[in-house]
Structures are given as C-alpha cells and as structure tokens.
C-alpha cells in the first residue's frame, strides 16, 4: 500500500531527463549482455565457414601454380622437340627397326641438338633428356649427373608415355624416385616423323618449392600423396613433413585439403595433390578475430548506450518545451486556463491531468467543426455544379431505378434534348436503341460490384433527338449513400475516333486490294503475308503463306536485309515476266516484296531491238551507197586483170607461140584475181545483208583492218593514207561482227569527210587499238577542222549532223550499238586541230562474266 504511492510521488518529482539516462544505461547493459553471447557463437560459425572457403581457395591456388609449372615444362619440351638444330641433326639419320642399338650417352657435355631452354625459363634442370626412334627405343641420352637413367627408361620407353600427335605430361615413379615425364614427337627438316624427345625431371622438395615460388612454408605446405595408401611421395619441406609418412599422421596438427590430378593420367600411379596448413596458425587467427570482434562489439554497445541515452534526454527536454507551448497555444486559441505544471517535475505524469481537461474542450470544438463542415459541403456542391457545367463530356446521374436525376449542358449538346425533358426519363429507354440496352444493363450490373476493376466501361450506340445513332464510350461510377445508390455516367462522343479507325482499316486493306503482288517475308525467308495477286508467285515457288521461300530467294531476302538497300530481280512465271522490288525494313526484321507484271514492257523492248536492227540495216545501205564507187573500182581492177590475162593466152594459143608453163602461170593469175573479186563481193554482201544479231569472239585488230580494206578507194580519192598503230597482241572481244564493223565504218568515213576540208598536205588519219584493264579501246584521230564545243555536247543525238545532206543518224545508231555491247563511245575535239573518237568495248573475259551474271539473275 505504501510503496505504490511512494513511487508515483517519486516519478512526479524526478525530472524526465534523469529517468531517461537511467533507463538508457540499463537497457544498453542488458542488450550488450544478450548480444555478446549470441554474436560470439554466430561469429565463430561465420569465421569457420569463411576459413574453410579460404583454405579451399588456397588449395586451388596451389594446385593451379603446380599445374602451370608442369605446363611450363610441357611447353619447353615442345620447344626442344621443334628446335631447328634437332631437325637438322635428324635429317641425315636413318634408324633401322632390326638393328641392335646401344644408346649414345652424353655425360660431360650437352649435345648440339639440345639448347638450355630450362635456365632461360627459370625451370629446374632435368635429370635426363632421351631421344628415341618411332618405336620408343632409346637412341641417345643426355645425363648431366652421375646417376644412370632408371632401368624402366634405359632402353625402351613405354608406349603410354608417347603420343605422336600431342605432347604427353605424366608424373610417375621410377625406382624409388618420383619423376615428371614430358614427351613430344620429333621430326626432321623434311617433316618426317623420326621419334620422340623425353625430358625427366625429379619431383622432390626443390621441384615443389619452384612450383610454389613465393609461398611461405610456415603458413602452408604442399605434398604429392599416393591415393591408394595415403603415403607422402614428395614434400615441400621434408624436414617438417617427411616423405613416406602417411597423410593421417598430420590430421591433428594440420588442416589438410587433397585434390586429384586427373589431367596427368597415363601411368600406374594415382596421385593426390595435398595442401597442409598448421592448426596453430588457424587457431591463432581465430583467436585474433574473436578478440577483435568482441572489442568492436563493446565499442558499438558503448556508443549505442551513449547515443540512446542522449537521444531520450533530448526528446524528453524537447517534449517539456512542446508541452509548455501547447498550454500557451490552448490558452490563446481555445481560451482555456494554463494547467500550471511544476517546472522541476515529470511532465509526462503531469500531462495525464491536463489531457482530461483538454478532452472536454475537444467536445466543444467538435460542434463548431460540424457547423464549418456543413458550410464546406455547400461550397463543394457549388463547385461540383460548376464542373458539371464546364465539362466537355456528357455527365448524367441516374438513381437506383435508372432514371435521370442530373443532366449537364454537354449532355444537352450531345443528345439534342433539353434538361427539363431529360430529367425523370429512363435513360436506357430514352437515349439508347434496343440493340444497346442489354449491353448497358451488363455495365450497370458490373459497376455494382466494387471489387471488380475497372468499373463499368464500354462502347455503345446512343440515340440523338432526331433518331441518329452516335457511337459513344460510357464509364459508370457508382455513388453510395446511406440507404441509397446512384450512378454517374461519363459519356464521351467517339464519332471522330471511329471514323479514324475506319480509315486505318481501309488503309490496311490497301495491300490486299492491290492488283499487283505484295508479299512480306521475315529475315529467315518465312512468308508472313501475301495478297491475292501474289498467288502466281507462290505457285511458281511451290509455297504458301506461313511457309518458307526457296533457298535461293531466301538468300536474296537475307542479302537485302544485310545491305539495307532495295534489290530488283525478275521472275518468269508461265510466260509472264514479273519485276520484283525487295524493300528491306531492317528495324523490324522483314522485307516487303512488290511485284509488277512487265511482260508488255519486255515485248516492247524486243520489238524496239528489232526496229533498231532494221534501222542499222538501213544505215548500212546508206553507207554502202557512199562506198559503192570504191567497191566498183576495186572490182574493176581484178576484172581488168582477168581480161588482160585471158586475151594474152588467146593470142599466144592462136599464134602457136604459147608455152605450157607460161599459159599455166597466166591461168593461175586469172584464178587469183577471180578469188579477189569474189572476196570483195562477199564482204559487200555481209555488210549490206540483213542478218539477225549474232555475237562471236573476234580480234579487234582484224575488224579494224577489214574496215580499212572497205575504204581503200575513199582513201585514194581523198589522198590520205590510214596510219595504223595496232596492239601487238590480239584483242579478243565478243561482238556482233557486222554491227561493230558498221560503227568503225561510220567513224572512219566521218573522219575522211572531215579531212576533205583541209589542204592535202595537212590531211592525216590515225587509228589506234589498245587494252586498258578489262577494256578494249579504239581511237580514230583526224587532223580535220574540229568540232565546236556547243555542237560536241549533242553530237550523238538523232538527226544531228555536220555534213550537208546528212541524215544525222550514223553516230546515234553507233552509240546504240556500242551501249548494247556494254561499251561506250565519245568524242574529243580541238577546234582547228582535229577530232578524236573513242570506242571502248569489254574484253571477252569480262563480257563473259557479265553475261553469266545476267543469265543467273534472269534464272532467279
């Protein structure tokens, strides 16, 4: 009875900051005591796990160093086996399979075929280096020490240690010593397999120390262990961990991690690589970690207690100030008297008395707040009405039976019905057609369930006052009031959106309505779309939408995507020729194929080529009219000679003076002149005759000479000698002989016409032939008056001529012929000095390649 009032009085008198300090100290001590026990066990567990991970990591690192050290020996052995002097040394040797052999032993000096790569690579020198024949018989031995080669390797090397195609690395026991044996095939300078080179290195403490260079023996040691009897065969520190002891002998004093060496199999020995870490070092480390952690935990607890105590002290001090401010605020705001707290007492205990007084004041203030809330509600209703008036969407409020109880101006504009006529009407009967009423009812039912999201929303057809249908989107929001439910409908006119969707659908049908084939193909050749007009192409390829293109066309699609450039191909289907344009859409990973029927175009081109051939024929006839006189003169010469020889033979026979030998010679001359006349007539018929275009391989130099022979009379008439600078080698071209001769005839004939305007001493005509890269060239140079630069631009246009009475078609036809041969013709001129006409044609090899490429394109 007496203790409780005493404590209560004590709490009222003791200031809150002092209580906070006492509570903070007591709480900190209790927490530190409990956490010290828990965290000590947890730290030991975590340290043990981390220590095990570190030991396994150290063991793996030791094994990796050991493996790299063995790999260094393997690499050095390969260098020795491929050493140039060893190949030269083996070149003249011949080892018979039947001869009896006594190995050659090098003791006091190193053989010439063995360089010292081990010292260069900082490796332990080998005890023995053996050179064997292909059967593994030992032929030569390098023995730097006094101990002989182990008996197992003295004369014959086991075949499991040899591999002709790869280097072998094996750790095996020979006698009482463990050796690293590396071998590789040796070849002579000609690449012939002569045998094997073996290197034997003792695996002892020195070897292990070199493999673990930089490792502190006091911290960790390594050893090689026989996995069968767990006996140590080699140790990094034989003085500390002796050889021939068992691994279990050290389990109490060391932490042992053993790992197998499967990659060095090939011998009967089954070895383990063991890493031993002293227990004393592990325990010392654990003790240091535990002491360090406990010290850190103590410091953390001390800081926690100080911070916690200081925080409570500051909070309590701040709380005292807040309570005093509350009293002053209540006095000014609510008009209540100050409670009169004691300045030195516990403010929290005193606050309880004051709260009872404050509760009565709150009840009074609640009545005042209710009055203010009603005023705010009236203001909110006014604001809501303003929003209804300003909204661009129609807003209609329905009661639980579906009748309109609120209707904003936007609804009046949408439905064309005034507010007085809409209020009280059933919304579905007045503003919705029969077909839309069931859907509206489902929306209302859906909106009655609050847990469903989203609330009732959908697209319907509404009716305007004149009976027109309006596509709208309706969203229904239920309003719950005490004992009553309302629904607010937000109605948005989507007529514009529907028109846009219809336009998009119409555009989407554009491809299917196109009369031309349109296809869409993915990067791997899969047809994802094809319109009705593309069915002929699909039948030609033997495929359907959803299937893949043939391999050759799939490759063309992949090429178009890779280059991101449109490609054009042609395809013939049942006599119809289609031009295919492959348009890659690289960002989306597909190609659009647009096809066009070009059968009529190809027929028109064929007819144009026929008309062109006829025009060329007419041009040749026109040209022959110009050279007819020359041809007549040429024919007159052999005919005159025939007449003279025939008359002479007749006179000798009549007079009886003709000798047979003389008559035979005269008859031979008559035959030769007749053949000459026949050749002239044959060339004339070939030039004038109308023949289908036919290309053949010919020598361009020969064509130039033929044309010059046609114009012998013209050159004699003009008084000029044609100078020929022809290529020493033949210039093969694949051309239509008659057409190209026609081009050359036009060029040379124009040059002769131009020379007539110059004095005879200044007349000069030069024809050159040459090759440049893959092109054959002809240059026709004259010393005529030249051509003005203005007329030079349109020189090859039809009906453009520099001669009186000329038709102006010779050069235009010549240009067409040259372009059909994938060539080029152009002119250069200096006024007053002459003109040069250039003709370029592809050589026969280049032309053949291009023709083959065009044929492949047409086939695809």
């Amino acid at each position: 009875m007496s203790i409780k009032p005493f404590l209560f009085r004590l709490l009222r008198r003791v200031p809150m900051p002092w209580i906070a300090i006492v509570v903070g100290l007591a709480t900190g001590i209790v927490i530190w005591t409990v956490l010290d026990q828990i965290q000590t066990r947890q730290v030991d567990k975590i340290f043990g796990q981390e220590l095990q991970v570190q030991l396994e990591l150290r063991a793996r690192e030791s094994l990796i160093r050991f493996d790299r050290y063995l790999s260094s020996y393997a690499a050095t052995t390969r260098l020795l086996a491929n050493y140039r002097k060893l190949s030269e040394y083996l070149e003249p040797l011949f080892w018979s399979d039947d001869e009896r052999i006594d190995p050659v032993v090098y003791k006091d000096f190193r053989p010439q075929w063995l360089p010292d790569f081990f010292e260069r690579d900082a490796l332990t020198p080998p005890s023995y280096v053996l050179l064997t024949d292909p059967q593994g018989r030992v032929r030569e031995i390098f023995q730097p020490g006094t101990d002989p080669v182990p008996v197992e390797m003295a004369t014959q090397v086991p075949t499991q240690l040899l591999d002709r195609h790869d280097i072998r690395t094996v750790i095996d026991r020979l006698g009482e010593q463990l050796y690293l044996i590396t071998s590789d095939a040796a070849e002579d300078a000609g690449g012939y397999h002569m045998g094997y080179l073996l290197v034997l290195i003792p695996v002892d403490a020195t070897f292990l120390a070199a493999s673990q260079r930089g490792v502190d023996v006091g911290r960790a040691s390594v050893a090689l262990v026989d996995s069968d009897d767990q006996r140590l065969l080699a140790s990094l520190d034989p003085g500390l961990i002796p050889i021939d002891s068992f691994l279990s002998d050290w389990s109490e004093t060391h932490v042992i991690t053993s790992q197998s060496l499967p990659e060095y199999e090939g011998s009967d020995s089954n070895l383990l690589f063991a890493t031993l870490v002293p227990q004393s070092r592990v325990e010392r480390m654990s003790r240091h970690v535990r002491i360090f952690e406990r010290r850190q935990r103590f410091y953390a607890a001390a800081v926690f207690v100080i911070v916690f105590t200081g925080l409570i002290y500051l909070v309590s001090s701040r709380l005292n100030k807040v309570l005093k401010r509350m009293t002053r605020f209540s006095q000014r705001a609510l008009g209540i008297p100050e409670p009169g707290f004691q300045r030195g007492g516990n403010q929290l205990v005193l606050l309880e008395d004051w709260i009872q007084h404050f509760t009565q004041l709150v009840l009074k203030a609640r009545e005042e707040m209710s009055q203010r809330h009603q005023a705010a509600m009236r203001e909110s209703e006014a604001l809501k009405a303003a929003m209804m008036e300003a909204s661009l969407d129609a807003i209609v409020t329905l009661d639980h039976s579906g009748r309109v109880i609120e209707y904003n101006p936007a609804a009046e504009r949408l439905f064309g019905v005034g507010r007085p006529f809409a209020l009280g009407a059933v919304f579905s009967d007045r503003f919705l057609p029969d077909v839309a009423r069931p859907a509206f009812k489902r929306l209302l039912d859906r909106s009655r369930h609050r847990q469903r999201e989203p609330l009732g929303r959908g697209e319907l057809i509404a009716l305007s006052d004149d009976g027109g249908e309006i596509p709208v989107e309706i969203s229904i929001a239920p309003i719950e009031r005490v004992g009553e439910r309302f629904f607010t409908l937000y109605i948005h006119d989507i007529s514009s959106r529907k028109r846009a969707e219809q336009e998009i659908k119409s555009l989407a049908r554009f491809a299917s309505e196109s009369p031309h084939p349109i296809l869409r193909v993915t990067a791997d050749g899969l047809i994802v779309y094809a319109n009705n007009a593309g069915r002929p192409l699909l039948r030609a390829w033997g495929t359907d939408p959803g299937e893949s293109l043939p391999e050759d066309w799939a490759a063309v699609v992949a090429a178009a995507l890779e280059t991101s450039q449109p490609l054009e191909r042609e395809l013939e289907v049942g006599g119809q020729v289609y031009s295919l344009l492959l348009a890659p859409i690289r960002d989306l990973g597909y190609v659009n194929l647009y096809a066009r029927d070009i059968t009529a175009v190809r027929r028109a081109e064929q007819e144009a080529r026929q008309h062109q051939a006829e025009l060329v024929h007419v041009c040749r006839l026109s040209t022959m009219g110009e050279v007819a006189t020359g041809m007549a003169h040429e024919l007159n010469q052999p005919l005159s000679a025939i007449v003279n020889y025939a008359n002479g033979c007749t006179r000798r026979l009549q007079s009886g003076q003709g000798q047979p030998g003389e008559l035979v010679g005269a008859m031979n001359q008559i035959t030769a002149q007749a053949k000459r006349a026949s050749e002239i007539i044959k060339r004339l018929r070939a030039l004038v005759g109308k023949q289908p275009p036919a290309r053949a391989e010919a020598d361009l130099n020969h064509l130039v000479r033929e044309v010059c022979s046609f114009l012998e009379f013209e050159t004699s008439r003009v008084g000029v000698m044609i100078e020929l600078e022809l290529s020493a080698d033949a210039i093969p071209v694949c051309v239509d002989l008659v057409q190209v001769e026609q081009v050359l005839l036009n060029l040379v004939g124009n040059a002769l016409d131009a020379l007539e305007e110059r004095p005879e001493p200044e007349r000069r005509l030069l024809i050159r032939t040459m090759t440049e890269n893959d092109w054959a060239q002809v240059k026709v140079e004259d010393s005529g008056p030249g051509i003005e630069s203005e007329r030079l631009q349109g020189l090859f246009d039809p009906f453009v001529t520099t001669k009186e009475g000329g038709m102006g078609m010779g050069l235009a036809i010549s240009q067409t012929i040259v372009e059909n041969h994938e060539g080029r013709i152009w002119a250069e001129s200096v006024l007053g000095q002459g003109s040069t006409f250039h003709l370029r044609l592809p050589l026969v090899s280049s032309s053949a390649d291009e023709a083959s490429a065009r044929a492949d394109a047409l086939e695809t």
Side-chain angles (χ1 to χ4, degrees):
M1 289 289 294
S2 60
I3 296 177
K4 185 175 181 181
F6 174 78
L7 292 176
F8 185 77
R9 287 194 302 271
L10 182 62
L11 290 174
R12 291 174 64 91
R13 295 178 180 178
V14 176
M16 187 183 299
W18 289 105
I19 297 177
I21 292 174
V22 173
V23 172
L25 290 174
T27 303
I29 293 173
V30 171
I31 292 176
W32 183 84
T33 302
V34 175
L35 291 180
D36 183 70
Q37 300 297 325
I38 297 175
Q39 291 187 358
T40 299
R41 291 193 298 270
Q42 191 66 23
V43 167
D44 291 342
K45 180 180 178 181
I46 295 173
F47 177 78
Q49 295 174 353
E50 181 64 20
L51 179 62
Q52 186 63 32
V53 172
Q54 293 297 326
L55 291 176
E56 292 177 358
L57 179 61
R58 182 171 296 176
R60 285 196 296 270
E61 291 175 350
S62 300
L63 179 58
I64 290 172
R65 284 194 292 269
F66 183 79
D67 179 70
R68 289 179 179 174
Y69 193 67
L70 298 185
S71 299
S72 300
Y73 276 104
T76 305
T77 301
R78 171 144 289 183
L79 289 175
L80 294 175
N82 292 275
Y83 187 51
R84 178 178 55 83
K85 289 188 177 181
L86 177 58
S87 300
E88 295 174 354
Y89 176 74
L90 294 174
E91 177 68 24
L93 294 181
F94 177 75
W95 290 332
S96 174
D97 297 338
D98 301 330
E99 66 175 333
R100 188 177 184 135
I101 57 173
D102 291 325
V104 179
V105 181
Y106 302 92
K107 290 186 177 180
D108 300 328
F109 63 96
R110 182 182 295 106
Q112 63 176 358
W113 47 264
L114 182 62
D116 192 4
F117 283 150
F118 294 94
E119 293 182 0
R120 186 194 67 179
D121 295 337
L123 301 174
T124 303
S127 296
Y128 311 99
V129 179
L130 281 63
L131 187 61
T132 73
D133 58 15
Q135 288 73 32
R137 293 179 297 179
V138 179
R139 296 287 184 169
E140 297 186 11
I141 302 174
F142 170 59
Q143 177 182 319
T146 58
D147 296 335
V149 179
V151 178
E152 296 85 342
M153 307 286 288
T155 59
Q156 177 70 39
V157 177
T159 57
Q160 65 267 24
L161 300 179
L162 304 176
D163 190 347
R164 180 176 178 180
H165 303 289
D166 197 4
I167 190 170
R168 295 299 304 271
T169 303
V170 177
I171 299 177
D172 202 354
R173 190 163 188 172
L174 302 178
E176 297 299 322
Q177 179 64 46
L178 200 62
Y179 285 91
L180 169 64
I181 306 171
T182 60
S183 65
D184 195 10
E187 298 177 350
D188 59 10
Y192 182 77
H193 177 58
M194 293 296 295
Y196 301 92
L197 180 72
L198 286 86
V199 177
L200 282 70
I201 305 97
V203 180
D204 50 15
T206 303
F207 185 91
L208 293 177
S211 69
Q212 303 296 321
R213 188 176 291 111
V215 177
D216 185 3
V217 178
R219 296 181 59 186
S221 180
V222 297
L224 292 178
V225 183
D226 189 341
S227 63
D228 295 331
D229 57 5
Q230 298 293 303
R231 187 163 55 89
L232 275 65
L233 302 179
S235 174
L236 178 62
D237 187 3
L240 180 63
I241 302 176
I243 300 174
D244 291 334
S245 62
F246 292 91
L247 196 62
S248 59
D249 298 339
W250 309 100
S251 60
E252 295 181 0
T253 59
H254 291 76
V255 178
I256 302 173
T257 303
S258 60
Q259 305 170 81
S260 61
L261 301 172
E263 61 269 30
Y264 303 108
E265 295 178 354
S267 65
D268 296 333
S269 301
N270 188 6
L271 302 179
L272 296 176
F273 185 84
T275 305
L276 297 89
V277 180
Q279 288 277 12
S280 57
R281 179 170 293 275
V282 175
E283 293 174 358
R284 190 182 309 116
M285 187 184 304
S286 176
R287 186 169 55 256
H288 289 331
V289 171
R290 192 179 296 110
I291 294 173
F292 174 79
E293 193 278 337
R294 179 168 293 179
R295 184 185 300 116
Q296 294 299 320
R297 193 160 58 249
F298 175 78
Y299 292 154
V303 171
F304 171 80
V305 170
I306 294 173
V307 172
F308 182 78
T309 304
L311 182 62
I312 293 181
Y313 179 82
L314 293 176
V315 170
S316 61
S317 300
R318 185 67 178 174
L319 185 58
N320 281 338
K321 295 180 180 179
V322 171
L323 293 175
K324 292 179 180 180
R325 290 177 183 173
M326 289 176 62
T327 58
R328 290 194 294 269
F329 173 78
S330 62
Q331 184 179 12
R332 290 195 300 269
L334 303 177
I336 60 176
E338 185 175 352
F341 294 146
Q342 299 178 6
R343 293 185 179 272
N346 191 333
Q347 303 298 325
L348 286 176
V349 177
L350 298 176
L351 182 62
E352 182 180 358
D353 298 335
W354 184 83
I355 288 177
Q356 296 177 358
H357 178 64
F358 185 77
T359 302
Q360 299 175 358
L361 300 177
V362 170
L363 294 175
K364 181 179 179 181
R366 186 176 64 177
E367 296 179 0
E368 298 177 357
M369 290 295 295
S370 177
Q371 297 175 359
R372 296 175 185 173
H373 176 69
Q374 292 177 2
M377 285 291 292
R378 288 192 292 272
E379 294 177 0
S380 175
E381 291 294 336
L383 179 61
K384 187 180 299 184
M387 293 175 62
M388 292 277 290
E389 294 289 334
S391 175
L392 298 178
D393 289 337
I395 301 176
V396 180
T397 303
L398 310 179
D399 60 12
H400 66 281
S401 61
R403 295 184 179 276
V404 179
I405 60 175
E406 190 56 64
Y407 190 82
N408 73 338
E412 295 181 359
R413 293 190 295 271
L414 176 63
F415 297 113
V417 178
R419 188 171 185 275
F421 301 98
L423 295 179
V426 177
F427 178 82
S428 59
D429 296 339
R430 181 67 177 83
F431 299 105
L432 296 178
D434 295 339
V435 68
R437 292 169 187 171
F440 178 72
K441 184 177 183 302
R442 288 193 296 271
L443 290 179
L444 279 178
D445 294 340
R446 183 178 180 182
S447 64
R448 288 189 174 95
H449 301 278
R450 292 186 174 182
Q451 66 274 17
R452 294 187 180 180
E453 291 293 339
L455 296 178
R457 179 188 296 270
E459 294 182 4
L460 299 174
I461 299 297
L463 291 176
S464 62
D465 187 48
D466 57 1
E469 293 186 349
I470 308 171
V472 296
E473 183 179 24
I474 296 181
S475 177
I476 303 176
I479 303 174
E480 296 289 343
R481 287 190 178 181
V482 180
E484 195 172 4
R485 171 177 291 182
F486 301 93
F487 301 94
T488 299
L489 277 59
Y490 299 91
I491 306 172
H492 179 65
D493 186 357
I494 58 174
S495 301
S496 300
R497 191 179 76 187
K498 288 295 183 180
R499 287 193 295 271
E501 290 177 355
Q502 188 64 28
E503 184 175 355
I504 293 173
K505 292 179 181 179
S506 176
L507 292 175
R509 291 195 301 269
F510 177 76
S512 61
E513 296 172 353
S514 174
H516 299 292
I518 299 176
L519 294 86
R520 175 166 293 177
V521 185
T522 62
D524 53 358
L526 182 67
I527 303 174
V528 298
Y529 173 78
N531 64 350
N532 292 331
R535 292 297 175 183
L537 300 182
L538 297 179
R539 286 194 297 270
W541 287 328
T543 184
D544 288 310
E547 300 179 359
S548 297
L549 286 173
E551 293 184 0
D552 51 350
W553 280 96
V556 175
V557 171
L561 274 176
E562 183 177 357
T563 59
S564 297
Q565 297 295 329
L567 297 180
E568 290 190 10
R569 294 291 187 272
E570 290 187 5
L571 178 65
E572 184 174 355
V573 179
Q576 298 295 111
V577 181
Y578 289 90
S579 173
L580 273 66
L581 175 64
L582 287 81
I585 311 299
R586 190 169 186 178
D587 295 340
L588 301 179
Y590 60 79
V591 173
N592 290 334
L593 275 73
Y594 304 99
R596 181 169 54 92
D597 189 350
I598 59 171
T599 306
V601 176
R602 288 291 179 264
R603 291 174 181 170
E605 291 177 354
Q606 185 177 1
E607 293 176 358
R609 285 194 293 270
Q610 293 176 355
H611 294 164
Q612 176 185 334
E614 295 177 358
L615 188 59
V616 170
H617 176 65
V618 172
C619 185
R620 284 203 303 271
L621 292 177
S622 176
T623 303
M624 285 307 303
E626 299 176 3
V627 299
T629 304
M631 285 294 183
H633 178 74
E634 288 190 25
L635 287 173
N636 188 46
Q637 290 180 355
L639 292 176
S640 298
I642 290 172
V643 171
N644 292 333
Y645 280 115
N647 290 334
C649 290
T650 301
R651 287 193 300 271
R652 289 180 181 274
L653 290 173
Q654 290 175 352
S655 63
Q657 299 178 358
Q659 300 296 326
E662 294 177 352
L663 295 176
V664 171
M667 296 301 292
N668 290 336
Q669 290 294 333
I670 290 174
T671 302
Q673 293 299 324
K675 289 181 178 180
R676 177 183 175 189
S678 176
E679 188 66 27
I680 293 173
I681 294 173
K682 185 185 296 183
R683 292 203 305 269
L684 181 62
R685 291 182 63 188
L687 182 65
V688 178
K690 183 178 180 181
Q691 301 175 357
R695 296 192 183 186
E697 185 175 342
D699 182 9
L700 187 60
N701 294 332
H702 175 71
L703 297 180
V704 172
R705 294 190 187 96
E706 284 286 324
V707 170
C708 292
S709 67
F710 290 151
L711 298 172
E712 288 181 359
F713 178 78
E714 289 294 322
T715 56
S716 299
R717 182 181 62 80
V718 177
V720 63
M721 181 67 69
I722 299 178
E723 301 178 22
L724 298 178
E725 293 185 3
L726 306 182
S727 173
D729 299 327
I731 304 177
V733 291
C734 184
V735 295
D736 187 306
L737 303 181
V738 176
Q739 290 185 356
V740 173
E741 286 182 352
Q742 172 67 30
V743 173
L744 294 173
L745 196 63
N746 286 341
L747 298 181
V748 178
N750 290 342
L752 291 174
D753 293 341
L755 290 176
E756 292 185 9
E757 301 180 16
R758 305 285 289 182
E760 187 170 342
E762 299 179 4
R763 296 173 182 174
R764 182 171 177 269
L765 178 58
L766 173 62
I767 301 178
R768 297 178 180 176
T769 62
M770 65 200 72
T771 60
E772 181 180 350
N773 296 331
D774 295 332
W775 298 94
Q777 290 194 19
V778 180
K779 294 183 180 179
V780 180
E781 303 178 8
D782 65 70
S783 59
I787 306 172
E788 297 86 349
S789 58
E790 294 80 5
R791 303 180 65 183
L792 194 64
Q793 301 295 330
L795 193 61
F796 293 91
D797 295 340
F799 309 109
V800 175
T801 181
T802 59
K803 297 185 293 186
E804 294 183 2
M807 296 177 61
M809 292 299 294
L811 290 179
I813 295 175
S814 299
Q815 185 181 42
T816 303
I817 292 173
V818 173
E819 290 178 350
N820 288 340
H821 284 76
E822 290 83 29
R824 183 187 172 207
I825 184 172
W826 73 96
E828 297 176 353
S829 181
V830 178
L831 196 62
Q833 298 183 12
S835 304
T836 301
F837 282 80
H838 300 263
L839 172 62
R840 172 180 288 182
L841 295 171
L843 291 174
V844 66
S845 58
S846 175
S847 177
D849 292 342
E850 292 179 0
S852 176
R854 288 195 304 273
D856 293 342
L858 290 175
E859 290 178 2
T860 57

